[in-house]
Amino acid sequence: PACFADNHVAMGLLQLILTAIVMVINQKFFISGFKGLIHRAPNMDTLVSIGTLSAYLYSIYSLTQIAAGNLHAVHALYFEGAGVVVALVRFGKHLEAVSKKKSMGAISALLQLRPDTAVLYKDGREMTIRVEEVTVGDLLVVRPGDHIPIDAVVVEGSANVDESMLSGESMPVKKRAGEEVIGGTIDLDGRLLIRCTKEMADTTLSHIISLVEEAQGKKAPIARIADRISLVFVPTVMAIAVVAGILWYIARGDIALSIQIFVSVLVIACPCALGLATPTAIMVGSGKAAQLGIFMKSGEALENAGEIDTILLDKTGTLTVGKPVVLSIVSDDPKKALYHAGTLEQGSKHPLAHAILEKCRQEGLQLPAIEHVETLSGLGLRADSEGHSIVLGNQELMKQSGCDIRSALPEMEAAARQGYSVIALGVDQQFCGFFVIADQLKSDTAQAIAQLKDMGITPVMVTGDHPLSAHAIARQAGIDEVIAKVLPQEKGEVVKRFQNEHKVAMVGDGINDAVALTQADVGIAIGSGSDVAVESADIILMKESIADVATAIRLSKAVIRNIHQNLFWAFFYNSIGIPIAAGVLYAFGGPLLSPVFAGAAMAFSSVCVVTNALRLRRFKA
């Protein structure tokens, strides 16, 4: 306001009040800082506390000088410097707080997989009870589309069960009487009667949750570079300020000169540049990452990503599209074969059915309505349509239906050996061809793997899938090392094994990856993945492409390099400025650095640091 233009006291008072508000709101820094000083373990908070408080107190002294008529003291007000440093360090603390919140988020997302209720079958009746009331030996009914409430064994019925939360495999698993089912998995298409085999606390899902909690608890926060440096820097600056003030008082007997030198040393060492070095670079780097579709949850994620030398990659949904597609149709009339297959698969929830129906949609086929499709357990489907008897399924079904597949058998078996799913089609007891279906490698996966290798990073596939399909995808992607048929709790152990000798990143998208994502030095989740994976990870790839893994690592290296540069210039400036503020030049007849110029030098160092950090905006993917 205009009323402050000529009223320097009023302007100073306004700055004093506003800065006091900022400092009171962020009083935790001062409490932590002085506790560190008392316990002889100064940290970044100590640096902020001493520097900003010294600048603030000297500014109050300068304000009293202005009120007494010394208008030159208006140049010695450092209220705004103190406020800005506290606010920016608060930003760095905010990033750390956001990182810590993920622990509860991951656990909450896992708990949501547990259904709240179960259908108890007792004395021929069905009744809904809370899942906590289920005990070992209880019979439960699971209907199509329901989550299986608890670990159990199938007593009656059969169904395809989606176990992707455990294995990551998009293909469902056929469950029959006598086979185990896992709590949290999904019954896709059949009524099951199951007998509970474990208490809630002992289930596979509960074990995964406890492993995630354990891994998160062990991941210690990485100390900031500035924190490590401040262990030496803070006591050194304090010692220089005190010794310089005492020596000048002894030499000149001038208490005003001694105070001026003491404050000049503290003001010029005020950690503006140091306080800005890390959070400013992280702020700009995180913003640039967001522009590139990469969400960095914390400063630790940025710091660690640049040190990665081994990357463990999940297969389904990470390297691959995550759902089966029809790769080829081997038939004399592929379109007609697709028409017949699509007719039978209408209404099915099976992923292979979805692949065939999606192919029909792409081809623009109009499929006829069909009243009844017979499901042949362990074989496939049979139905009558438009005067034809159609069968679709495995080799055994073809033999039982009188379809001669001998001519196509070598080709079908070769496809199966590569890890592909093969479905045969017969019409009116005549073999009409087969469909090769598989999860497909994402278009940019091979290029991304090659880029990681060029950066000196070793890619390793870690998957719950069958070794055949895992190795088939690995060959296409250019990955040499494959660890297949790995359960979720085992993935964390695999990460630990690699961490003995390497800095490890884990890239995944499924619930089954949560333990490994949390255990890894850097967990990287595909944005379209499960809530659990996203919550457990340190970095989220919003564009669903693992090419962004290499981009994230390169950006991390650029940010850390920028922080090192900022810290170098901050300390280079201090190594020159502090001796001058302590009166070294003045002792030899040179100028005495007043707090006014010390403040200007402090501001200049901050501008240099911010300008350097802003160069990160020019980073290109």
Side-chain angles (χ1 to χ4, degrees):
C3 61
F4 292 127
D6 298 317
N7 192 335
H8 300 300
V9 174
M11 179 188 69
L13 284 171
L14 180 63
Q15 290 183 24
L16 181 149
I17 293 168
L18 293 175
T19 305
I21 292 171
V22 172
M23 294 172 79
V24 168
I25 290 173
N26 297 284
Q27 60 184 285
K28 287 183 179 179
F29 296 155
F30 297 94
I31 294 170
S32 168
F34 284 107
K35 274 185 180 177
L37 197 60
I38 291 168
H39 295 298
R40 299 180 182 178
N43 52 28
M44 186 65 183
D45 291 341
T46 307
L47 208 59
V48 172
S49 302
I50 292 174
T52 55
L53 204 57
S54 297
Y56 186 77
L57 292 175
Y58 188 77
S59 296
I60 292 175
Y61 168 75
S62 298
L63 188 57
T64 62
Q65 293 293 302
I66 296 170
N70 180 9
L71 295 182
H72 290 289
V74 75
H75 300 294
L77 295 176
Y78 308 114
F79 291 121
E80 77 287 348
V84 167
V85 169
V86 171
L88 279 158
V89 173
R90 173 65 180 269
F91 172 77
K93 297 287 185 183
H94 170 71
L95 288 179
E96 293 178 14
V98 169
S99 174
K100 290 173 184 175
K101 283 183 182 178
K102 69 178 183 178
S103 296
M104 286 309 298
I107 302 303
S108 298
L110 278 170
L111 289 171
Q112 288 174 8
L113 293 172
R114 290 175 171 169
D116 295 326
T117 60
V119 179
L120 179 67
Y121 184 79
K122 191 172 184 179
D123 300 328
R125 293 187 301 114
E126 296 180 8
M127 62 188 82
T128 301
I129 62 172
R130 293 191 59 78
V131 74
E132 291 84 0
E133 299 173 31
V134 176
T135 59
V136 174
D138 282 349
L139 288 174
L140 305 173
V141 174
V142 183
R143 302 184 183 95
D146 288 350
H147 279 77
I148 292 169
I150 201 163
D151 290 8
V153 63
V154 178
V155 175
E156 183 182 298
S158 65
N160 286 297
V161 176
D162 180 357
E163 293 189 338
S164 58
M165 62 159 278
L166 287 172
S167 66
E169 173 57 68
S170 55
M171 297 297 298
V173 179
K174 189 75 173 179
K175 295 293 183 179
R176 302 178 181 83
E179 296 184 335
E180 292 184 353
V181 287
I182 305 299
T185 57
I186 304 171
D187 179 348
L188 292 177
D189 56 9
R191 182 182 183 277
L192 295 176
L193 184 65
I194 62 175
R195 187 183 303 279
C196 174
T197 57
K198 292 179 181 177
E199 298 287 350
M200 179 63 74
D202 297 326
T203 62
T204 302
L205 185 58
S206 295
H207 189 42
I208 292 173
I209 290 171
S210 65
L211 285 172
V212 170
E213 289 174 327
E214 183 184 349
Q216 287 173 337
K218 286 182 178 176
K219 184 180 277 189
I222 294 174
R224 295 286 186 203
I225 298 170
D227 278 346
R228 296 195 291 268
I229 295 172
S230 64
L231 287 171
V232 176
F233 180 71
V234 174
T236 302
V237 170
M238 289 294 295
I240 291 171
V242 171
V243 170
I246 292 173
L247 288 177
W248 279 109
Y249 180 73
I250 293 171
R252 296 291 176 88
D254 186 345
I255 187 66
L257 175 65
S258 296
I259 291 173
Q260 181 178 343
I261 285 175
F262 174 77
V263 174
S264 291
V265 172
L266 289 178
V267 169
I268 204 165
C270 180
C272 281
L274 194 58
L276 290 169
T278 300
T280 306
I282 288 175
M283 179 172 63
V284 178
S286 299
K288 185 63 185 180
Q291 289 179 358
L292 298 171
I294 301 166
F295 175 48
M296 302 275 186
K297 285 190 177 181
S298 66
E300 282 81 11
L302 267 174
E303 185 173 347
N304 283 344
E307 299 174 3
I308 294 303
D309 59 19
T310 302
I311 289 188
L312 309 184
L313 300 127
D314 175 48
K315 180 181 81 71
T316 307
T318 301
L319 298 172
T320 66
V321 175
K323 58 181 181 181
V325 295
V326 177
L327 299 183
S328 63
I329 304 172
V330 181
S331 173
D332 292 337
D333 190 343
K335 199 159 187 174
K336 191 170 183 179
L338 181 62
Y339 176 84
H340 286 309
T343 300
L344 262 65
E345 295 287 19
Q346 292 177 85
S348 174
K349 294 182 180 179
H350 198 289
L352 295 183
H354 289 180
I356 289 174
L357 291 171
E358 176 62 21
K359 186 69 173 177
C360 290
R361 190 191 64 77
Q362 292 173 4
E363 295 290 335
L365 297 179
Q366 296 294 321
L367 302 175
I370 188 168
E371 290 186 4
H372 177 68
V373 177
E374 184 181 0
T375 301
L376 306 170
S377 182
L379 297 173
L381 305 172
R382 176 186 291 138
D384 293 325
S385 175
E386 298 178 329
H388 297 288
S389 175
I390 310 170
V391 289
L392 184 69
N394 58 21
Q395 296 178 27
E396 183 60 31
L397 178 60
M398 294 299 110
K399 292 176 183 176
Q400 291 184 17
S401 303
C403 300
D404 186 0
I405 62 170
R406 286 176 295 179
S407 60
L409 199 56
E411 200 173 348
M412 290 171 67
E413 290 179 343
R417 281 196 298 273
Q418 293 182 55
Y420 301 141
S421 295
V422 179
I423 301 179
L425 173 70
V427 179
D428 299 329
Q429 298 183 325
Q430 297 294 318
F431 175 66
C432 293
F434 63 92
F435 299 82
V436 178
I437 302 176
D439 195 1
Q440 204 169 23
L441 202 67
K442 288 180 181 177
S443 58
D444 58 353
T445 294
Q447 183 180 352
I449 295 299
Q451 193 174 1
L452 289 171
K453 285 182 173 180
D454 290 343
M455 294 168 65
I457 296 169
T458 304
V460 180
M461 181 193 289
V462 182
T463 177
D465 287 4
H466 191 279
L468 278 177
S469 56
H471 282 280
I473 291 295
R475 282 193 298 272
Q476 295 175 43
I479 297 174
D480 302 318
E481 188 172 352
V482 178
I483 305 173
K485 290 192 78 67
V486 182
L487 294 175
Q489 53 268 43
E490 293 172 345
K491 280 193 176 183
E493 293 300 321
V494 171
V495 172
K496 285 182 185 177
R497 193 165 72 241
F498 277 94
Q499 282 177 318
N500 290 333
E501 298 179 5
H502 303 280
K503 274 281 188 180
V504 179
M506 173 70 197
V507 187
D509 73 320
I511 297 160
N512 59 309
D513 301 316
V515 176
L517 287 169
T518 311
Q519 177 63 43
D521 297 296
V522 178
I524 304 174
I526 306 297
S528 61
S530 71
D531 291 343
V532 180
V534 170
E535 291 287 354
S536 300
D538 303 299
I539 298 174
I540 317 290
L541 306 181
M542 304 309 295
K543 292 191 290 191
E544 306 177 22
S545 168
I546 67 160
D548 286 340
V549 174
T551 303
I553 291 171
R554 288 193 296 106
L555 179 59
S556 168
K557 290 179 182 292
V559 169
I560 298 305
R561 186 164 56 246
N562 193 277
I563 289 173
H564 288 167
Q565 291 166 354
N566 286 349
L567 291 172
F568 169 79
W569 285 112
F571 281 98
F572 178 76
Y573 139 80
N574 275 311
S575 66
I576 294 175
I578 289 175
I580 295 174
V584 171
L585 295 181
Y586 188 62
F588 294 97
L592 175 64
L593 185 67
S594 74
V596 176
F597 292 107
M602 176 185 72
F604 177 74
S605 71
S606 300
V607 170
C608 290
V609 164
V610 172
T611 303
N612 187 47
L614 290 175
R615 290 191 308 112
L616 288 167
R617 293 189 301 183
R618 298 202 297 266
F619 176 88
K620 293 182 180 179

